[in-house]
Amino acid sequence: SKITGSADDGINVFDKATLTITGGTITGKKQGVYAVGSTVTINGGTISGVDRGVYTGYCTVIISDGTISGRFGVDAIETDLIISDGTISGDLLSVYSEYSTVTISGGSFSTGDQHIYSDNSTIPLTLGENGVGARFLGGITVRCATLNEILGEGAAYWQGDKQIIPADNATAIFNGDVVIKAYVAPVHSGWTEIDGDWYYYDPDTGKPVTGITRVPYPAQTINGITYAPDQESIDYAASKGQTFIDETTGLFIFDEN
């Protein structure tokens, strides 16, 4: 095994070496930590590189704390990477993975471009021991995968108290921090009758819609006439008692009663 430094890298790790970092400051002109064929555990400290904070190939890497930064925060090639906490930032990418297995159950991630790049990798975003997973500052963006593909079982994307259900091909959520929390199945979804009154519930949050809102036309039979979803002509206001503004756009007014 071999652990050294170089003119370009803060620490070099080769040949089945084992490196544990618990504190201190490590910097490199290229990589803060460059590891090949070794085991690296990061429990603290500040690691930075102009190119990559941590750059690994054919390794096992466990990150439970610390601050890591670079053009790429962490770059993992054919690596088993486990991130449970820490602060990881990348000017271009927070986490780049190629032919790797990456489990992210915590930590804070920020970037100037992409949070996660998944090239032929498996990246489940899972829940931590406290039931909360990673936090992605400003939103989350992924490349070479979709948001749903990298989401672990039982987990969901949340912005504040709103659960976000991405479209099948979505690769980004913007306009605010995104936190991985437990998925909560909506109690109600879409058009719902309660005690003789009709409401429209947001399918993502399960909360009733209020105010002036554009929603899909309901697919059901009203007064003997069967209407399809998004049908352009429907006497829904008279049938259900909601104020119906525009039959071509689906714009309704809902009150809280």
Side-chain angles (χ1 to χ4, degrees), residues 209-215 245 251-255:
V209 169
T210 60
I212 301 176
T213 309
R214 181 171 288 107
V215 301
I245 297 178
L251 195 63
F252 291 80
I253 291 180
F254 297 89
D255 62 24

Side-chain angles (χ1 to χ4, degrees), residues 38-126:
S38 299
T39 299
V40 177
T41 301
I42 301 173
N43 297 326
T46 300
I47 303 169
S48 63
V50 173
D51 195 17
R52 289 158 170 81
V54 175
Y55 187 23
T56 68
Y58 312 98
C59 289
T60 296
V61 178
I62 301 170
I63 301 173
S64 63
D65 205 349
T67 299
I68 300 170
S69 64
R71 190 170 67 94
F72 291 12
V74 178
D75 187 339
I77 299 175
E78 296 199 36
T79 289
D80 290 328
L81 173 62
I82 300 171
I83 303 174
S84 60
D85 208 344
T87 301
I88 299 174
S89 62
D91 298 334
L92 189 61
L93 284 163
S94 295
V95 177
Y96 176 92
S97 64
E98 183 177 342
Y99 294 99
S100 296
T101 298
V102 182
T103 301
I104 300 175
S105 61
S108 176
F109 299 81
S110 62
T111 183
D113 189 8
Q114 303 283 330
H115 286 89
I116 295 174
Y117 189 114
S118 174
D119 183 2
N120 293 291
S121 296
T122 300
I123 305 184
L125 300 177
T126 64

Side-chain angles (χ1 to χ4, degrees), residues 5-10 12 27-31:
S6 72
D8 292 327
D9 307 320
N12 297 134
T27 61
K29 292 181 180 179
K30 288 188 176 180
Q31 284 76 230

Side-chain angles (χ1 to χ4, degrees), residues 72-229:
F72 291 12
V74 178
D75 187 339
I77 299 175
E78 296 199 36
T79 289
D80 290 328
L81 173 62
I82 300 171
I83 303 174
S84 60
D85 208 344
T87 301
I88 299 174
S89 62
D91 298 334
L92 189 61
L93 284 163
S94 295
V95 177
Y96 176 92
S97 64
E98 183 177 342
Y99 294 99
S100 296
T101 298
V102 182
T103 301
I104 300 175
S105 61
S108 176
F109 299 81
S110 62
T111 183
D113 189 8
Q114 303 283 330
H115 286 89
I116 295 174
Y117 189 114
S118 174
D119 183 2
N120 293 291
S121 296
T122 300
I123 305 184
L125 300 177
T126 64
L127 302 175
E129 294 180 356
N130 62 352
V132 178
R135 176 181 294 273
F136 298 89
L137 304 184
I140 180 171
T141 54
V142 300
R143 189 172 178 183
C144 293
T146 68
L147 290 170
N148 289 319
E149 286 173 341
I150 67 172
L151 192 61
E153 184 177 356
Y157 300 101
W158 289 79
Q159 284 186 314
D161 62 354
K162 183 178 181 181
Q163 181 172 259
I164 307 297
I165 308 297
D168 290 343
N169 62 347
T171 59
I173 300 172
F174 298 112
N175 301 322
D177 295 355
V178 172
V179 180
I180 306 302
K181 298 181 182 178
Y183 172 78
V184 177
V187 176
H188 301 294
S189 178
W191 291 103
T192 304
E193 183 180 16
I194 300 176
D195 297 330
D197 294 320
W198 285 81
Y199 304 86
Y200 186 84
Y201 284 81
D202 188 313
D204 293 340
T205 67
K207 296 182 178 180
V209 169
T210 60
I212 301 176
T213 309
R214 181 171 288 107
V215 301
Y217 295 103
Q220 57 184 295
T221 299
I222 301 173
N223 294 337
I225 301 174
T226 300
Y227 296 100

